[in-house]
Amino acid sequence: PPVLRGAVFLAYTFDMGVLFEKTLSRDRDFEWGRSWGEDLVYTFLPRALFPDKPVLFGTTRLQDEVAPEIYGGDADVMGTYPIGIFGESYMNFGAPGLIAILFLLGFGLKYWYSQCLRLAHEREVNWSSLSFMALYATLCSSSLAYIRGLGGFFAILLFMAPVVLLLVALIRFTSEFGGWSQTASDTR
């Protein structure tokens, strides 16, 4: 039955490799970042306020273009098994974009990690360092998101960054004005 086509397709594999192979076999124009923009704009847009918000956008739209048997046109039984960072990067910018985006992602993650290691060895608490490290923890906890697709990951990061920074600011405020700030000489 048509309802089971997506389940049958995914029963063969949960690896994004099959979807990437299907992505490579597609002959179409590049997205030029459109799917990422859709994820950034539509992810947290409430459908109650914007009833014309598309059901399929960003990574999920690309998934439907590559493997329409997963979605099947029925929003009640829709599965999201996106084509992943490889397929999404390829569909947006082709092979050069795929290589460049994976390089930039690896470089950025390595830079952020090395900065956090450096900041962790500092003797004094620096609030900007604490904010940086809290954002890195958020980044690490969202690693599945950027493997599934960068657009959704950026939407999550765009949402989470202000929340994390607000929490760090609240901690700083309460420590400064709540009587928590003690130096090492005060505790002796």
Side-chain angles (χ1 to χ4, degrees), residues 175 179-188:
S175 69
W180 292 1
S181 61
Q182 290 183 340
T183 63
S185 62
D186 293 341
T187 58
R188 290 184 198 170

Side-chain angles (χ1 to χ4, degrees), residues 122-186:
E122 290 183 357
R123 293 180 94 32
E124 293 184 24
V125 174
N126 179 333
W127 290 105
S128 62
S129 300
L130 184 60
S131 300
F132 191 85
M133 292 174 82
L135 286 173
Y136 181 72
T138 304
L139 179 77
C140 290
S141 67
S142 303
S143 61
L144 180 60
Y146 62 78
I147 290 171
R148 288 176 54 93
L150 280 178
F153 168 70
F154 286 136
I156 290 169
L157 195 60
L158 189 67
F159 176 76
M160 289 301 296
V163 171
V164 168
L165 294 174
L166 181 65
L167 287 173
V168 170
L170 183 62
I171 291 168
R172 181 176 183 186
F173 177 79
T174 56
S175 69
E176 293 288 328
F177 298 106
W180 292 1
S181 61
Q182 290 183 340
T183 63
S185 62
D186 293 341

Side-chain angles (χ1 to χ4, degrees), residues 91-131:
M91 287 185 79
N92 274 296
F93 302 106
L98 170 65
I99 293 166
I101 288 179
L102 293 178
F103 174 80
L104 290 172
L105 179 65
F107 179 80
L109 291 172
K110 174 64 176 175
Y111 174 77
W112 210 314
Y113 174 72
S114 64
Q115 289 296 91
C116 281
L117 284 179
R118 185 184 63 75
L119 294 171
H121 290 19
E122 290 183 357
R123 293 180 94 32
E124 293 184 24
V125 174
N126 179 333
W127 290 105
S128 62
S129 300
L130 184 60
S131 300

Side-chain angles (χ1 to χ4, degrees), residues 2-3 55-56 64 68-79:
V3 166
V55 174
L56 293 175
D64 188 53
E69 60 271 16
I70 295 174
Y71 174 58
D74 186 0
D76 293 334
V77 294
M78 184 175 113

